[in-house]
Amino acid sequence: MTSRPIDIESAAVVAPPRRRPRRRHSLTMKLGAGLLLFYAGVAVLSFFWTPHDPFMPGAGPSYSAPTWEFPLGTDRLGTDLLSRLMVGTRYDLGICLAAVAIALTIGTILGTIAGYYGGAIDTAIMRMVEIFQAFPGLLFAMLIVQAVGAGVVNVIAVLSFVGMPDYLRLARAEVRSRREWQFAEAARLVGNRPIAVAFKHLLPNSMGPLLAFTSVNAAFSVLIIASLGFLGIGLSPDDPEWGNMIARGQDGVMTGEWWVSMFPGIAILGMTGAFYMLGDALSDLFDPRRRT
Amino acid sequence: MKTYPANYPIVQVRGLKKLFPVGGGRKLHAIDGVDFDLQPGRTLALVGESGSGKSTVARCIVRLLEPTDGDVVVHGNSVRPLNPVRMATMYRTLQMVFQDPNASLNPRMTVRKVLEEPLKLHLSMTQDERNARLSELVTLVGLGEEHLARYPHELSGGQRQRIGIARAISINPEVVLLDEPTASLDVSVRGQILDLLKRIQRELNLAYLFISHDLQVVRHVADEVAVMYLGQIVERGPTAEIFDNPRHPYTRALMSAAPVARYGVKRERLRLAGEISTPVDPPPACRLSGRCPIEQPVCSQQRMPLEPINETHSVACPFSDRVAEAVAPPVPAAKAG
Amino acid sequence: MSDAILEIENFSGGFMSPAGEYNQVLHDVGYCLPRGAMTAVVGETGSGKSITALAVLGLQAPTFRHRTGSIRFDGTEMLNLDARGLRDIRGSRISMVFQDARAALNPVFSIGRQLADTWMLHNGGSRAAAMDKAVDALRQVHIPEPERRARQYPHEFSGGMAQRAMIAMAALICTPELLILDEPTTGLDVTTQADIMELIVDLAQSRGLTVCLITHDLGVVAETCDHVVVMNKGCVVETGTTEQIFTAPQDAYTRKLLAASLLTEYSA
């Protein structure tokens, strides 16, 4: 977050200056961030240009192996895989980011309220969360999607629902551990209402672990999106979502047309990997022991 | 500077009690019936060791903790029925400086933001007026405008405590509760902060409640001293009298244990037996019974109320005349608890 | 000064920052601890008083680098010792008591067990004999009901009692020639603090221990110590007998510190 200059005067004698050893993390950090930027770039590009029409069957021969014209080959219907993959980035990255943002916002707000007020409010919120979390994430997502139906908006809603409890718990724990801190008490004393203490003073000091967790959650979300797509219950089977694409290429794997499933798989692997690398670097950065 | 009628108590604390449930229906008596007044321009020091409940008193007055019983009256009005929003307005009168200036300043706020916050919440000022007030405040606490842009970790411990003080006085309160304001500071800084507090008190005619375990400091700043032991005030009186002629055995034990940085000073210690007893469901007895060198049978049978021994000095010990005898030959070290 | 058990000369060192910069914090520190006496090393936060003492035992932070100087304990150059050599001296010839005793004790073992283990480490023998020794040590530091207390765990001890147990461990279970106490009474109540200091003085006198008391509190020093070393910002500014330091301080910083301790300079 904010980089702070060090207190030279007092640090010089007491202890070595506590400078965050950023350099150590820079490689994973750069790799993760770079990869994500690449995906984002591809997603944006796909709105303006793709090599072929990603939705047009018969752009090339059926099951063409990678060639100069179709660098990643084509599928059974002869659609260009590279074009589909590029458009698919929009789905996977977009749904994931939207879901993470919603889960982070709602989870943080509810968690902060639960953590700061405690008592009956806390109990009510936590019981609710426990009910959600009693189901495994993917199973829960499948159940809801089956119930409310397919579609991008529904998938986003479901994913944020699945991710939200973790943010809530994290925010609650962070705020709780700081509720008795003197600066929170001091904030009350200058005339802040309790809600202002919670959101203006405690929450900004608790955001580090929450932000670090977004990456982990994002990686997990990508996997769920792809899993839903693979099972054919999230989006329409025609949407060029990566999980969908893998499912479409399943038959080919046995008969030698490996590329149809392989390239979407690599795309998923790359995106989850990028999020994990970023998350790893971020959680090191926000390590409580390094916070002043 | 506000003026008041003579001997006007801005804050009256009456029968204040705070019990914490500790499970099994038992209660920890953190404060067990405490009374005192705070007057403008005067400092009452609340002295005691850990577990005496002195910090809990301050927290109950400003209702960071809800008192179990008793009342806190500010300008004739009780603060206890106030809801959080009304209580927030009460903080225009009642302010507090915390012990640890590292922990009491939000690490993500610059000094400017820290000091601006109370101004924005309580006073309708233009940005220009606020800026003028900010530079006035930092000057008042002995810092410069260049400090406004800094974060707490860029300041030294003493400077942070100066900001804590500036924040407390920013909206012109009448009463400031000081919770161990120098406990986490180096000795050379301690004196400067005490000096600052005294100067501000004179300039603004503030009432101070000074909570401390540091007797040296208390002697230096207080007009009146109240000694707390296990949630009760056991002795109260003018500073000089408490230090030079302590009458309660506990006060005397405390005073005689305090080290003095002078060569050749030999302390004649009054020793208490054993360790501090538990504040959980204490029996109706003198809190010092079982440890007291001048204990009488009656001491373990009833509570000892604070009784005046002259106009200004009260002691919660009916045998306080004998306390001097207890000091004379030091108890052999083997018996020291 | 002829018979000093520990001599520190021109000791300089500092910390490496993660960025690889060297910040010197100790500047030619030199003092000695006369055998059988109590010497106080006095200074405020950042004076380098604790870093120097930790360096004696080779317990300095991993980022600490020593540049020059020597630390001789009973004629042995401590800075040349390897880990094994240091271990042989630590505990058996020099032991140390830290500020927060409850943090220094292991929370999962009983106090008696920890004392007994330490005894067995240095002396061997049976567990039963070691346990007897532990109870005996607790008794000698005036812990009431030592048999029962020995079975208790650190969290059941108050700060003062835990510090007594630490002193029992450092001074009685280990039988050192030099006992280093790093702020042993800081954070304790004044009455407890006075009791602990009396205990330390008693033990030092009855066992002929050399004691090095590291503290910021001149009040504690005045009554108990024979010699005083005053440190400021990584330098020794003045050394002398307690009487000299308190009655005729030469250095400006010493005078300032004394005045600040008594709050005389600031009387308004």
PDB file of all heavy atoms in Angstrom, chain C residues 42-59:
ATOM      1  N   VAL C  42      23.805   2.106  32.376  1.00  0.00           N
ATOM      2  CA  VAL C  42      22.617   2.937  32.358  1.00  0.00           C
ATOM      3  C   VAL C  42      22.528   3.663  31.027  1.00  0.00           C
ATOM      4  O   VAL C  42      23.536   4.131  30.500  1.00  0.00           O
ATOM      5  CB  VAL C  42      22.690   3.974  33.501  1.00  0.00           C
ATOM      6  CG1 VAL C  42      21.486   4.890  33.463  1.00  0.00           C
ATOM      7  CG2 VAL C  42      22.777   3.279  34.827  1.00  0.00           C
ATOM      8  N   GLY C  43      21.317   3.769  30.504  1.00  0.00           N
ATOM      9  CA  GLY C  43      21.129   4.529  29.271  1.00  0.00           C
ATOM     10  C   GLY C  43      19.679   4.492  28.864  1.00  0.00           C
ATOM     11  O   GLY C  43      18.899   3.688  29.370  1.00  0.00           O
ATOM     12  N   GLU C  44      19.328   5.374  27.927  1.00  0.00           N
ATOM     13  CA  GLU C  44      17.953   5.416  27.467  1.00  0.00           C
ATOM     14  C   GLU C  44      17.780   4.530  26.244  1.00  0.00           C
ATOM     15  O   GLU C  44      18.731   3.904  25.775  1.00  0.00           O
ATOM     16  CB  GLU C  44      17.569   6.858  27.142  1.00  0.00           C
ATOM     17  CG  GLU C  44      17.545   7.728  28.386  1.00  0.00           C
ATOM     18  CD  GLU C  44      17.113   9.135  28.061  1.00  0.00           C
ATOM     19  OE1 GLU C  44      17.902   9.883  27.491  1.00  0.00           O
ATOM     20  OE2 GLU C  44      15.966   9.471  28.368  1.00  0.00           O
ATOM     21  N   THR C  45      16.581   4.515  25.703  1.00  0.00           N
ATOM     22  CA  THR C  45      16.313   3.776  24.480  1.00  0.00           C
ATOM     23  C   THR C  45      17.327   4.175  23.408  1.00  0.00           C
ATOM     24  O   THR C  45      17.556   5.359  23.199  1.00  0.00           O
ATOM     25  CB  THR C  45      14.907   4.116  23.964  1.00  0.00           C
ATOM     26  OG1 THR C  45      14.002   4.028  25.046  1.00  0.00           O
ATOM     27  CG2 THR C  45      14.493   3.171  22.864  1.00  0.00           C
ATOM     28  N   GLY C  46      17.938   3.195  22.781  1.00  0.00           N
ATOM     29  CA  GLY C  46      18.859   3.517  21.705  1.00  0.00           C
ATOM     30  C   GLY C  46      20.268   3.839  22.161  1.00  0.00           C
ATOM     31  O   GLY C  46      21.095   4.250  21.359  1.00  0.00           O
ATOM     32  N   SER C  47      20.566   3.622  23.428  1.00  0.00           N
ATOM     33  CA  SER C  47      21.915   3.926  23.890  1.00  0.00           C
ATOM     34  C   SER C  47      22.884   2.810  23.527  1.00  0.00           C
ATOM     35  O   SER C  47      24.086   2.986  23.569  1.00  0.00           O
ATOM     36  CB  SER C  47      21.917   4.146  25.396  1.00  0.00           C
ATOM     37  OG  SER C  47      21.482   2.982  26.044  1.00  0.00           O
ATOM     38  N   GLY C  48      22.351   1.646  23.197  1.00  0.00           N
ATOM     39  CA  GLY C  48      23.217   0.518  22.841  1.00  0.00           C
ATOM     40  C   GLY C  48      23.607  -0.326  24.035  1.00  0.00           C
ATOM     41  O   GLY C  48      24.432  -1.221  23.918  1.00  0.00           O
ATOM     42  N   LYS C  49      22.984  -0.076  25.182  1.00  0.00           N
ATOM     43  CA  LYS C  49      23.383  -0.801  26.394  1.00  0.00           C
ATOM     44  C   LYS C  49      23.068  -2.290  26.308  1.00  0.00           C
ATOM     45  O   LYS C  49      23.864  -3.123  26.719  1.00  0.00           O
ATOM     46  CB  LYS C  49      22.736  -0.171  27.639  1.00  0.00           C
ATOM     47  CG  LYS C  49      21.212  -0.088  27.607  1.00  0.00           C
ATOM     48  CD  LYS C  49      20.690   0.741  28.761  1.00  0.00           C
ATOM     49  CE  LYS C  49      19.190   0.612  28.964  1.00  0.00           C
ATOM     50  NZ  LYS C  49      18.364   1.053  27.824  1.00  0.00           N
ATOM     51  N   SER C  50      21.893  -2.623  25.755  1.00  0.00           N
ATOM     52  CA  SER C  50      21.533  -4.039  25.659  1.00  0.00           C
ATOM     53  C   SER C  50      22.293  -4.746  24.547  1.00  0.00           C
ATOM     54  O   SER C  50      22.704  -5.892  24.704  1.00  0.00           O
ATOM     55  CB  SER C  50      20.033  -4.191  25.395  1.00  0.00           C
ATOM     56  OG  SER C  50      19.315  -3.746  26.501  1.00  0.00           O
ATOM     57  N   ILE C  51      22.492  -4.062  23.441  1.00  0.00           N
ATOM     58  CA  ILE C  51      23.186  -4.680  22.305  1.00  0.00           C
ATOM     59  C   ILE C  51      24.583  -5.104  22.730  1.00  0.00           C
ATOM     60  O   ILE C  51      25.045  -6.204  22.420  1.00  0.00           O
ATOM     61  CB  ILE C  51      23.270  -3.694  21.120  1.00  0.00           C
ATOM     62  CG1 ILE C  51      21.873  -3.295  20.673  1.00  0.00           C
ATOM     63  CG2 ILE C  51      24.026  -4.312  19.964  1.00  0.00           C
ATOM     64  CD1 ILE C  51      21.840  -2.127  19.710  1.00  0.00           C
ATOM     65  N   THR C  52      25.246  -4.245  23.485  1.00  0.00           N
ATOM     66  CA  THR C  52      26.589  -4.567  23.949  1.00  0.00           C
ATOM     67  C   THR C  52      26.565  -5.824  24.812  1.00  0.00           C
ATOM     68  O   THR C  52      27.383  -6.728  24.635  1.00  0.00           O
ATOM     69  CB  THR C  52      27.169  -3.397  24.756  1.00  0.00           C
ATOM     70  OG1 THR C  52      26.938  -2.189  24.048  1.00  0.00           O
ATOM     71  CG2 THR C  52      28.647  -3.572  24.994  1.00  0.00           C
ATOM     72  N   ALA C  53      25.604  -5.872  25.738  1.00  0.00           N
ATOM     73  CA  ALA C  53      25.559  -7.017  26.649  1.00  0.00           C
ATOM     74  C   ALA C  53      25.225  -8.300  25.906  1.00  0.00           C
ATOM     75  O   ALA C  53      25.786  -9.357  26.196  1.00  0.00           O
ATOM     76  CB  ALA C  53      24.529  -6.753  27.741  1.00  0.00           C
ATOM     77  N   LEU C  54      24.322  -8.196  24.943  1.00  0.00           N
ATOM     78  CA  LEU C  54      23.977  -9.390  24.167  1.00  0.00           C
ATOM     79  C   LEU C  54      25.183  -9.878  23.361  1.00  0.00           C
ATOM     80  O   LEU C  54      25.374 -11.077  23.179  1.00  0.00           O
ATOM     81  CB  LEU C  54      22.801  -9.089  23.230  1.00  0.00           C
ATOM     82  CG  LEU C  54      21.448  -8.907  23.908  1.00  0.00           C
ATOM     83  CD1 LEU C  54      20.414  -8.406  22.918  1.00  0.00           C
ATOM     84  CD2 LEU C  54      20.967 -10.202  24.547  1.00  0.00           C
ATOM     85  N   ALA C  55      25.990  -8.928  22.916  1.00  0.00           N
ATOM     86  CA  ALA C  55      27.171  -9.297  22.142  1.00  0.00           C
ATOM     87  C   ALA C  55      28.155 -10.091  22.995  1.00  0.00           C
ATOM     88  O   ALA C  55      28.872 -10.954  22.494  1.00  0.00           O
ATOM     89  CB  ALA C  55      27.840  -8.049  21.570  1.00  0.00           C
ATOM     90  N   VAL C  56      28.175  -9.821  24.287  1.00  0.00           N
ATOM     91  CA  VAL C  56      29.054 -10.560  25.181  1.00  0.00           C
ATOM     92  C   VAL C  56      28.760 -12.047  25.082  1.00  0.00           C
ATOM     93  O   VAL C  56      29.643 -12.885  25.017  1.00  0.00           O
ATOM     94  CB  VAL C  56      28.872 -10.082  26.640  1.00  0.00           C
ATOM     95  CG1 VAL C  56      29.610 -11.001  27.593  1.00  0.00           C
ATOM     96  CG2 VAL C  56      29.335  -8.649  26.788  1.00  0.00           C
ATOM     97  N   LEU C  57      27.478 -12.377  25.035  1.00  0.00           N
ATOM     98  CA  LEU C  57      27.073 -13.772  25.008  1.00  0.00           C
ATOM     99  C   LEU C  57      26.898 -14.302  23.594  1.00  0.00           C
ATOM    100  O   LEU C  57      26.435 -15.411  23.403  1.00  0.00           O
ATOM    101  CB  LEU C  57      25.765 -13.942  25.774  1.00  0.00           C
ATOM    102  CG  LEU C  57      25.915 -13.881  27.292  1.00  0.00           C
ATOM    103  CD1 LEU C  57      24.561 -13.882  27.947  1.00  0.00           C
ATOM    104  CD2 LEU C  57      26.730 -15.049  27.796  1.00  0.00           C
ATOM    105  N   GLY C  58      27.241 -13.492  22.606  1.00  0.00           N
ATOM    106  CA  GLY C  58      27.032 -13.925  21.233  1.00  0.00           C
ATOM    107  C   GLY C  58      25.565 -14.056  20.894  1.00  0.00           C
ATOM    108  O   GLY C  58      25.181 -14.868  20.066  1.00  0.00           O
ATOM    109  N   LEU C  59      24.720 -13.269  21.534  1.00  0.00           N
ATOM    110  CA  LEU C  59      23.273 -13.368  21.312  1.00  0.00           C
ATOM    111  C   LEU C  59      22.743 -12.207  20.484  1.00  0.00           C
ATOM    112  O   LEU C  59      21.549 -11.949  20.470  1.00  0.00           O
ATOM    113  CB  LEU C  59      22.524 -13.394  22.659  1.00  0.00           C
ATOM    114  CG  LEU C  59      22.746 -14.609  23.540  1.00  0.00           C
ATOM    115  CD1 LEU C  59      22.071 -14.414  24.887  1.00  0.00           C
ATOM    116  CD2 LEU C  59      22.218 -15.858  22.873  1.00  0.00           C
TER     117      LEU C  59
END
